[in-house]
Structures are given as structure tokens and as C-alpha cells.
Amino acid sequence: MLFEIIVDCIMALGALATAATFILVLINQKGTQKQIDSLSQMAEMYSRHYQLERIQAGSNIYPKIQISLKNDTMWGLKIQIKNNSYPVEVYRIMINEARHHLDVRLKPKSDYIQIRQGETKAILPGELCRQQIYTFDASIRIYLITPFEEAYEIRYINTDRINYYQSEPIPILYSKEEHESSKAQTTQIKQYSIHGGIKGTIKDNFPEVARDLEG
């Protein structure tokens, strides 16, 4: 532990020294274009430094999330999320089974479902779409964003209360502008169901769903 603290201090001092060097160069330079070029080099250097730290940190900085399914007397399916790391915000939930598909996207960012560090929060998909949902054998995808504005996808599926699969957080692209440009509530809910004697599955009959699940 002491060794890690010493290494962190050395790296911090190195970063400060590098920044001080750039500042001295800027002061001594004459001309706006030269200063702009130097600032661009500084930004690129810090970007490379950040990416290197991300690689070295590995999975230690990934969100630690545990998902389980419970029953809710009013809305049916209840997704229980336990957050064992830093605060996260859920902005999309995708539920899919053979004959039912639900995709809920929360916009803008102020409507995200916040889960603090150490907190366990229940999400009710049925409440979001205003009808009961019972899909305990479904595959579920949870999309969340971290305080560093990095997005992750977590996949969960179970066939009973004992056997289940949960993926490690998968880094994905996240468009900040898409979620912050609108201040009005624009929650998007897409829902598809197959009833009666219609042949095939949701993926067979709705190509849009198939594209989402393949991503």
C-alpha cells in the first residue's frame, strides 16, 4: 500500500513538472499560432497519459455491478442492481425473450437512474412502460454511464433462480450531446410482443430488434 502511494506521488509530481514545462514554453513563445500549437501538443500529451493510465489500471476502474431479478406485486419484473463501486447512472434497459421485447431509453441526462456507491436500487421496467411485465427467463442489458462519462453495457440472463450469467462491463460508445441537448423529458419506450399463432420469434419478425441485439 505504501509503495502504491509513493508511485502515485511520483507520477503526480511528474505530471506537474511536465505541465510547468509547457507553461514556461508558452510564456517564452511569441505569436498566437505557436501558443495554439503548444496547447494542442499539451492536450495530446495528457490524452495519451490518460489512456496509458486506463490500460495500466485494467478492470480495477470498471464499475462493479451485481444484477438480480426479483418479483414486484404491482409491476411484475424487478431488476435489482447492487453497486459495489463508484456512483453510476443507468440510461437504457433492454429486455428480450423469444416473444417479447422492451427497450427503454431515458433522456435527458437528468432523468438517468442514479445508483450511489454501496447502494442497492430496484428498477421496475413495468412501471416505466406503465404495464406489468413478467419475463424471468429473459436476457437483460443494462447501459450505464460513470462519473468519467464512460459508458458500459452489462448483459444478464438466467433460466432459473440459481443458474444465471452476467457479463463483465463492456465499454461502449456514448454520445453526450444526444442526451444533454434536450431539457424536456423524452423517454423512449419501444415494445414488441407476439401473441396467438404467429410463427417465429421477436428477432424473426422485427429486424430492428435483431439489429439492436447484435450490437
PDB file of all heavy atoms in Angstrom, residues 86-112:
ATOM      1  N   TYR A  86     -17.937   3.075  -7.652  1.00  0.00           N
ATOM      2  CA  TYR A  86     -18.278   4.490  -7.651  1.00  0.00           C
ATOM      3  C   TYR A  86     -19.691   4.708  -8.196  1.00  0.00           C
ATOM      4  O   TYR A  86     -20.285   3.812  -8.794  1.00  0.00           O
ATOM      5  CB  TYR A  86     -17.260   5.280  -8.478  1.00  0.00           C
ATOM      6  CG  TYR A  86     -16.892   4.602  -9.777  1.00  0.00           C
ATOM      7  CD1 TYR A  86     -17.761   4.604 -10.862  1.00  0.00           C
ATOM      8  CD2 TYR A  86     -15.671   3.938  -9.918  1.00  0.00           C
ATOM      9  CE1 TYR A  86     -17.436   3.983 -12.038  1.00  0.00           C
ATOM     10  CE2 TYR A  86     -15.342   3.296 -11.102  1.00  0.00           C
ATOM     11  CZ  TYR A  86     -16.220   3.328 -12.155  1.00  0.00           C
ATOM     12  OH  TYR A  86     -15.899   2.698 -13.324  1.00  0.00           O
ATOM     13  N   PRO A  87     -20.286   5.894  -8.007  1.00  0.00           N
ATOM     14  CA  PRO A  87     -21.662   6.150  -8.473  1.00  0.00           C
ATOM     15  C   PRO A  87     -21.790   5.945  -9.982  1.00  0.00           C
ATOM     16  O   PRO A  87     -20.885   6.278 -10.751  1.00  0.00           O
ATOM     17  CB  PRO A  87     -21.908   7.612  -8.093  1.00  0.00           C
ATOM     18  CG  PRO A  87     -20.942   7.882  -6.988  1.00  0.00           C
ATOM     19  CD  PRO A  87     -19.727   7.050  -7.285  1.00  0.00           C
ATOM     20  N   VAL A  88     -22.918   5.397 -10.397  1.00  0.00           N
ATOM     21  CA  VAL A  88     -23.211   5.202 -11.820  1.00  0.00           C
ATOM     22  C   VAL A  88     -24.630   5.679 -12.089  1.00  0.00           C
ATOM     23  O   VAL A  88     -25.420   5.905 -11.161  1.00  0.00           O
ATOM     24  CB  VAL A  88     -23.063   3.724 -12.241  1.00  0.00           C
ATOM     25  CG1 VAL A  88     -21.641   3.251 -12.062  1.00  0.00           C
ATOM     26  CG2 VAL A  88     -24.038   2.834 -11.465  1.00  0.00           C
ATOM     27  N   GLU A  89     -24.944   5.838 -13.370  1.00  0.00           N
ATOM     28  CA  GLU A  89     -26.283   6.248 -13.787  1.00  0.00           C
ATOM     29  C   GLU A  89     -26.738   5.369 -14.941  1.00  0.00           C
ATOM     30  O   GLU A  89     -26.047   5.247 -15.950  1.00  0.00           O
ATOM     31  CB  GLU A  89     -26.285   7.719 -14.214  1.00  0.00           C
ATOM     32  CG  GLU A  89     -25.970   8.692 -13.090  1.00  0.00           C
ATOM     33  CD  GLU A  89     -25.911  10.130 -13.582  1.00  0.00           C
ATOM     34  OE1 GLU A  89     -24.897  10.492 -14.195  1.00  0.00           O
ATOM     35  OE2 GLU A  89     -26.891  10.859 -13.377  1.00  0.00           O
ATOM     36  N   VAL A  90     -27.896   4.756 -14.789  1.00  0.00           N
ATOM     37  CA  VAL A  90     -28.466   3.883 -15.819  1.00  0.00           C
ATOM     38  C   VAL A  90     -29.283   4.728 -16.795  1.00  0.00           C
ATOM     39  O   VAL A  90     -30.131   5.516 -16.377  1.00  0.00           O
ATOM     40  CB  VAL A  90     -29.354   2.793 -15.192  1.00  0.00           C
ATOM     41  CG1 VAL A  90     -30.035   1.958 -16.274  1.00  0.00           C
ATOM     42  CG2 VAL A  90     -28.535   1.909 -14.263  1.00  0.00           C
ATOM     43  N   TYR A  91     -29.025   4.567 -18.098  1.00  0.00           N
ATOM     44  CA  TYR A  91     -29.753   5.369 -19.081  1.00  0.00           C
ATOM     45  C   TYR A  91     -30.486   4.531 -20.127  1.00  0.00           C
ATOM     46  O   TYR A  91     -31.234   5.068 -20.950  1.00  0.00           O
ATOM     47  CB  TYR A  91     -28.820   6.355 -19.789  1.00  0.00           C
ATOM     48  CG  TYR A  91     -27.787   5.729 -20.697  1.00  0.00           C
ATOM     49  CD1 TYR A  91     -28.039   5.506 -22.041  1.00  0.00           C
ATOM     50  CD2 TYR A  91     -26.532   5.373 -20.204  1.00  0.00           C
ATOM     51  CE1 TYR A  91     -27.085   4.946 -22.876  1.00  0.00           C
ATOM     52  CE2 TYR A  91     -25.570   4.812 -21.024  1.00  0.00           C
ATOM     53  CZ  TYR A  91     -25.853   4.598 -22.356  1.00  0.00           C
ATOM     54  OH  TYR A  91     -24.911   4.026 -23.173  1.00  0.00           O
ATOM     55  N   ARG A  92     -30.303   3.203 -20.082  1.00  0.00           N
ATOM     56  CA  ARG A  92     -31.030   2.367 -21.030  1.00  0.00           C
ATOM     57  C   ARG A  92     -31.175   0.959 -20.456  1.00  0.00           C
ATOM     58  O   ARG A  92     -30.252   0.439 -19.829  1.00  0.00           O
ATOM     59  CB  ARG A  92     -30.304   2.304 -22.381  1.00  0.00           C
ATOM     60  CG  ARG A  92     -31.071   1.553 -23.459  1.00  0.00           C
ATOM     61  CD  ARG A  92     -30.284   1.508 -24.753  1.00  0.00           C
ATOM     62  NE  ARG A  92     -31.031   0.832 -25.812  1.00  0.00           N
ATOM     63  CZ  ARG A  92     -30.519   0.515 -27.005  1.00  0.00           C
ATOM     64  NH1 ARG A  92     -29.282   0.845 -27.309  1.00  0.00           N
ATOM     65  NH2 ARG A  92     -31.249  -0.107 -27.914  1.00  0.00           N
ATOM     66  N   ILE A  93     -32.343   0.350 -20.687  1.00  0.00           N
ATOM     67  CA  ILE A  93     -32.606  -1.016 -20.255  1.00  0.00           C
ATOM     68  C   ILE A  93     -33.236  -1.755 -21.430  1.00  0.00           C
ATOM     69  O   ILE A  93     -34.230  -1.293 -21.996  1.00  0.00           O
ATOM     70  CB  ILE A  93     -33.572  -1.055 -19.057  1.00  0.00           C
ATOM     71  CG1 ILE A  93     -33.029  -0.226 -17.902  1.00  0.00           C
ATOM     72  CG2 ILE A  93     -33.816  -2.495 -18.604  1.00  0.00           C
ATOM     73  CD1 ILE A  93     -34.089   0.145 -16.892  1.00  0.00           C
ATOM     74  N   MET A  94     -32.652  -2.889 -21.801  1.00  0.00           N
ATOM     75  CA  MET A  94     -33.186  -3.675 -22.899  1.00  0.00           C
ATOM     76  C   MET A  94     -33.507  -5.080 -22.377  1.00  0.00           C
ATOM     77  O   MET A  94     -32.649  -5.750 -21.809  1.00  0.00           O
ATOM     78  CB  MET A  94     -32.187  -3.758 -24.050  1.00  0.00           C
ATOM     79  CG  MET A  94     -32.740  -4.422 -25.299  1.00  0.00           C
ATOM     80  SD  MET A  94     -31.496  -4.641 -26.606  1.00  0.00           S
ATOM     81  CE  MET A  94     -31.121  -2.929 -26.977  1.00  0.00           C
ATOM     82  N   ILE A  95     -34.743  -5.511 -22.561  1.00  0.00           N
ATOM     83  CA  ILE A  95     -35.189  -6.826 -22.117  1.00  0.00           C
ATOM     84  C   ILE A  95     -35.693  -7.593 -23.336  1.00  0.00           C
ATOM     85  O   ILE A  95     -36.506  -7.078 -24.104  1.00  0.00           O
ATOM     86  CB  ILE A  95     -36.313  -6.701 -21.077  1.00  0.00           C
ATOM     87  CG1 ILE A  95     -35.813  -5.917 -19.859  1.00  0.00           C
ATOM     88  CG2 ILE A  95     -36.816  -8.076 -20.654  1.00  0.00           C
ATOM     89  CD1 ILE A  95     -36.902  -5.589 -18.869  1.00  0.00           C
ATOM     90  N   ASN A  96     -35.204  -8.825 -23.500  1.00  0.00           N
ATOM     91  CA  ASN A  96     -35.585  -9.580 -24.685  1.00  0.00           C
ATOM     92  C   ASN A  96     -35.806 -11.050 -24.341  1.00  0.00           C
ATOM     93  O   ASN A  96     -35.010 -11.657 -23.632  1.00  0.00           O
ATOM     94  CB  ASN A  96     -34.503  -9.475 -25.762  1.00  0.00           C
ATOM     95  CG  ASN A  96     -34.932 -10.127 -27.067  1.00  0.00           C
ATOM     96  OD1 ASN A  96     -35.788  -9.604 -27.767  1.00  0.00           O
ATOM     97  ND2 ASN A  96     -34.350 -11.268 -27.379  1.00  0.00           N
ATOM     98  N   GLU A  97     -36.900 -11.590 -24.823  1.00  0.00           N
ATOM     99  CA  GLU A  97     -37.136 -13.025 -24.780  1.00  0.00           C
ATOM    100  C   GLU A  97     -37.717 -13.427 -26.123  1.00  0.00           C
ATOM    101  O   GLU A  97     -37.830 -12.602 -27.037  1.00  0.00           O
ATOM    102  CB  GLU A  97     -38.064 -13.395 -23.632  1.00  0.00           C
ATOM    103  CG  GLU A  97     -39.457 -12.815 -23.737  1.00  0.00           C
ATOM    104  CD  GLU A  97     -40.369 -13.339 -22.637  1.00  0.00           C
ATOM    105  OE1 GLU A  97     -39.900 -14.133 -21.805  1.00  0.00           O
ATOM    106  OE2 GLU A  97     -41.547 -12.963 -22.635  1.00  0.00           O
ATOM    107  N   ALA A  98     -38.084 -14.676 -26.248  1.00  0.00           N
ATOM    108  CA  ALA A  98     -38.495 -15.179 -27.564  1.00  0.00           C
ATOM    109  C   ALA A  98     -39.678 -14.407 -28.143  1.00  0.00           C
ATOM    110  O   ALA A  98     -39.712 -14.115 -29.337  1.00  0.00           O
ATOM    111  CB  ALA A  98     -38.820 -16.666 -27.466  1.00  0.00           C
ATOM    112  N   ARG A  99     -40.646 -14.015 -27.289  1.00  0.00           N
ATOM    113  CA  ARG A  99     -41.875 -13.426 -27.812  1.00  0.00           C
ATOM    114  C   ARG A  99     -42.204 -12.064 -27.210  1.00  0.00           C
ATOM    115  O   ARG A  99     -43.322 -11.580 -27.334  1.00  0.00           O
ATOM    116  CB  ARG A  99     -43.035 -14.402 -27.618  1.00  0.00           C
ATOM    117  CG  ARG A  99     -42.728 -15.768 -28.221  1.00  0.00           C
ATOM    118  CD  ARG A  99     -43.861 -16.713 -28.181  1.00  0.00           C
ATOM    119  NE  ARG A  99     -45.009 -16.299 -28.986  1.00  0.00           N
ATOM    120  CZ  ARG A  99     -45.139 -16.490 -30.299  1.00  0.00           C
ATOM    121  NH1 ARG A  99     -44.174 -17.058 -30.994  1.00  0.00           N
ATOM    122  NH2 ARG A  99     -46.227 -16.118 -30.922  1.00  0.00           N
ATOM    123  N   HIS A 100     -41.232 -11.463 -26.577  1.00  0.00           N
ATOM    124  CA  HIS A 100     -41.455 -10.130 -26.020  1.00  0.00           C
ATOM    125  C   HIS A 100     -40.143  -9.356 -25.997  1.00  0.00           C
ATOM    126  O   HIS A 100     -39.095  -9.910 -25.674  1.00  0.00           O
ATOM    127  CB  HIS A 100     -42.024 -10.214 -24.604  1.00  0.00           C
ATOM    128  CG  HIS A 100     -42.374  -8.868 -24.033  1.00  0.00           C
ATOM    129  ND1 HIS A 100     -43.533  -8.199 -24.355  1.00  0.00           N
ATOM    130  CD2 HIS A 100     -41.696  -8.051 -23.184  1.00  0.00           C
ATOM    131  CE1 HIS A 100     -43.570  -7.038 -23.724  1.00  0.00           C
ATOM    132  NE2 HIS A 100     -42.463  -6.924 -23.009  1.00  0.00           N
ATOM    133  N   HIS A 101     -40.218  -8.077 -26.350  1.00  0.00           N
ATOM    134  CA  HIS A 101     -39.027  -7.218 -26.360  1.00  0.00           C
ATOM    135  C   HIS A 101     -39.410  -5.840 -25.822  1.00  0.00           C
ATOM    136  O   HIS A 101     -40.436  -5.273 -26.174  1.00  0.00           O
ATOM    137  CB  HIS A 101     -38.471  -7.071 -27.784  1.00  0.00           C
ATOM    138  CG  HIS A 101     -37.311  -6.118 -27.878  1.00  0.00           C
ATOM    139  ND1 HIS A 101     -36.024  -6.483 -27.548  1.00  0.00           N
ATOM    140  CD2 HIS A 101     -37.254  -4.816 -28.249  1.00  0.00           C
ATOM    141  CE1 HIS A 101     -35.224  -5.446 -27.720  1.00  0.00           C
ATOM    142  NE2 HIS A 101     -35.948  -4.426 -28.144  1.00  0.00           N
ATOM    143  N   LEU A 102     -38.563  -5.324 -24.940  1.00  0.00           N
ATOM    144  CA  LEU A 102     -38.781  -3.992 -24.365  1.00  0.00           C
ATOM    145  C   LEU A 102     -37.463  -3.235 -24.352  1.00  0.00           C
ATOM    146  O   LEU A 102     -36.437  -3.750 -23.915  1.00  0.00           O
ATOM    147  CB  LEU A 102     -39.313  -4.105 -22.933  1.00  0.00           C
ATOM    148  CG  LEU A 102     -39.489  -2.792 -22.168  1.00  0.00           C
ATOM    149  CD1 LEU A 102     -40.592  -1.936 -22.797  1.00  0.00           C
ATOM    150  CD2 LEU A 102     -39.817  -3.059 -20.705  1.00  0.00           C
ATOM    151  N   ASP A 103     -37.491  -2.021 -24.856  1.00  0.00           N
ATOM    152  CA  ASP A 103     -36.297  -1.175 -24.901  1.00  0.00           C
ATOM    153  C   ASP A 103     -36.671   0.200 -24.345  1.00  0.00           C
ATOM    154  O   ASP A 103     -37.499   0.901 -24.931  1.00  0.00           O
ATOM    155  CB  ASP A 103     -35.793  -1.061 -26.345  1.00  0.00           C
ATOM    156  CG  ASP A 103     -34.461  -0.319 -26.430  1.00  0.00           C
ATOM    157  OD1 ASP A 103     -33.928   0.098 -25.391  1.00  0.00           O
ATOM    158  OD2 ASP A 103     -33.958  -0.152 -27.560  1.00  0.00           O
ATOM    159  N   VAL A 104     -36.079   0.572 -23.214  1.00  0.00           N
ATOM    160  CA  VAL A 104     -36.376   1.844 -22.559  1.00  0.00           C
ATOM    161  C   VAL A 104     -35.120   2.691 -22.546  1.00  0.00           C
ATOM    162  O   VAL A 104     -34.085   2.279 -22.004  1.00  0.00           O
ATOM    163  CB  VAL A 104     -36.873   1.632 -21.119  1.00  0.00           C
ATOM    164  CG1 VAL A 104     -37.198   2.977 -20.478  1.00  0.00           C
ATOM    165  CG2 VAL A 104     -38.084   0.720 -21.086  1.00  0.00           C
ATOM    166  N   ARG A 105     -35.183   3.894 -23.123  1.00  0.00           N
ATOM    167  CA  ARG A 105     -34.062   4.843 -23.117  1.00  0.00           C
ATOM    168  C   ARG A 105     -34.495   6.097 -22.364  1.00  0.00           C
ATOM    169  O   ARG A 105     -35.521   6.695 -22.687  1.00  0.00           O
ATOM    170  CB  ARG A 105     -33.643   5.205 -24.541  1.00  0.00           C
ATOM    171  CG  ARG A 105     -33.236   4.013 -25.379  1.00  0.00           C
ATOM    172  CD  ARG A 105     -32.608   4.472 -26.674  1.00  0.00           C
ATOM    173  NE  ARG A 105     -32.414   3.373 -27.603  1.00  0.00           N
ATOM    174  CZ  ARG A 105     -31.563   3.420 -28.623  1.00  0.00           C
ATOM    175  NH1 ARG A 105     -30.844   4.501 -28.839  1.00  0.00           N
ATOM    176  NH2 ARG A 105     -31.435   2.390 -29.428  1.00  0.00           N
ATOM    177  N   LEU A 106     -33.700   6.473 -21.388  1.00  0.00           N
ATOM    178  CA  LEU A 106     -34.016   7.635 -20.570  1.00  0.00           C
ATOM    179  C   LEU A 106     -33.258   8.858 -21.081  1.00  0.00           C
ATOM    180  O   LEU A 106     -32.047   8.827 -21.226  1.00  0.00           O
ATOM    181  CB  LEU A 106     -33.648   7.367 -19.106  1.00  0.00           C
ATOM    182  CG  LEU A 106     -34.294   6.124 -18.476  1.00  0.00           C
ATOM    183  CD1 LEU A 106     -33.764   5.916 -17.078  1.00  0.00           C
ATOM    184  CD2 LEU A 106     -35.804   6.267 -18.459  1.00  0.00           C
ATOM    185  N   LYS A 107     -33.993   9.917 -21.354  1.00  0.00           N
ATOM    186  CA  LYS A 107     -33.398  11.181 -21.786  1.00  0.00           C
ATOM    187  C   LYS A 107     -34.203  12.308 -21.160  1.00  0.00           C
ATOM    188  O   LYS A 107     -35.420  12.176 -20.990  1.00  0.00           O
ATOM    189  CB  LYS A 107     -33.431  11.320 -23.315  1.00  0.00           C
ATOM    190  CG  LYS A 107     -32.638  10.279 -24.077  1.00  0.00           C
ATOM    191  CD  LYS A 107     -32.746  10.547 -25.570  1.00  0.00           C
ATOM    192  CE  LYS A 107     -32.009   9.510 -26.387  1.00  0.00           C
ATOM    193  NZ  LYS A 107     -32.063   9.781 -27.828  1.00  0.00           N
ATOM    194  N   PRO A 108     -33.585  13.425 -20.867  1.00  0.00           N
ATOM    195  CA  PRO A 108     -32.160  13.749 -20.934  1.00  0.00           C
ATOM    196  C   PRO A 108     -31.402  13.158 -19.755  1.00  0.00           C
ATOM    197  O   PRO A 108     -31.931  12.343 -19.009  1.00  0.00           O
ATOM    198  CB  PRO A 108     -32.161  15.282 -20.882  1.00  0.00           C
ATOM    199  CG  PRO A 108     -33.353  15.591 -20.050  1.00  0.00           C
ATOM    200  CD  PRO A 108     -34.388  14.557 -20.402  1.00  0.00           C
ATOM    201  N   LYS A 109     -30.172  13.614 -19.568  1.00  0.00           N
ATOM    202  CA  LYS A 109     -29.300  13.047 -18.538  1.00  0.00           C
ATOM    203  C   LYS A 109     -29.880  13.216 -17.134  1.00  0.00           C
ATOM    204  O   LYS A 109     -29.629  12.400 -16.247  1.00  0.00           O
ATOM    205  CB  LYS A 109     -27.917  13.692 -18.622  1.00  0.00           C
ATOM    206  CG  LYS A 109     -26.829  12.956 -17.848  1.00  0.00           C
ATOM    207  CD  LYS A 109     -25.467  13.552 -18.162  1.00  0.00           C
ATOM    208  CE  LYS A 109     -24.366  12.755 -17.478  1.00  0.00           C
ATOM    209  NZ  LYS A 109     -24.425  12.797 -16.030  1.00  0.00           N
ATOM    210  N   SER A 110     -30.660  14.240 -16.925  1.00  0.00           N
ATOM    211  CA  SER A 110     -31.237  14.485 -15.603  1.00  0.00           C
ATOM    212  C   SER A 110     -32.236  13.393 -15.195  1.00  0.00           C
ATOM    213  O   SER A 110     -32.579  13.270 -14.024  1.00  0.00           O
ATOM    214  CB  SER A 110     -31.929  15.850 -15.570  1.00  0.00           C
ATOM    215  OG  SER A 110     -32.944  15.925 -16.564  1.00  0.00           O
ATOM    216  N   ASP A 111     -32.702  12.603 -16.171  1.00  0.00           N
ATOM    217  CA  ASP A 111     -33.657  11.537 -15.879  1.00  0.00           C
ATOM    218  C   ASP A 111     -32.994  10.176 -15.681  1.00  0.00           C
ATOM    219  O   ASP A 111     -33.683   9.178 -15.471  1.00  0.00           O
ATOM    220  CB  ASP A 111     -34.692  11.421 -17.008  1.00  0.00           C
ATOM    221  CG  ASP A 111     -35.646  12.611 -17.032  1.00  0.00           C
ATOM    222  OD1 ASP A 111     -35.819  13.225 -15.968  1.00  0.00           O
ATOM    223  OD2 ASP A 111     -36.190  12.927 -18.097  1.00  0.00           O
ATOM    224  N   TYR A 112     -31.675  10.119 -15.769  1.00  0.00           N
ATOM    225  CA  TYR A 112     -30.992   8.850 -15.563  1.00  0.00           C
ATOM    226  C   TYR A 112     -31.292   8.309 -14.162  1.00  0.00           C
ATOM    227  O   TYR A 112     -31.538   9.064 -13.226  1.00  0.00           O
ATOM    228  CB  TYR A 112     -29.478   9.025 -15.690  1.00  0.00           C
ATOM    229  CG  TYR A 112     -28.977   9.273 -17.096  1.00  0.00           C
ATOM    230  CD1 TYR A 112     -29.833   9.359 -18.177  1.00  0.00           C
ATOM    231  CD2 TYR A 112     -27.620   9.430 -17.336  1.00  0.00           C
ATOM    232  CE1 TYR A 112     -29.358   9.590 -19.451  1.00  0.00           C
ATOM    233  CE2 TYR A 112     -27.128   9.661 -18.605  1.00  0.00           C
ATOM    234  CZ  TYR A 112     -28.004   9.740 -19.665  1.00  0.00           C
ATOM    235  OH  TYR A 112     -27.532   9.969 -20.923  1.00  0.00           O
TER     236      TYR A 112
END
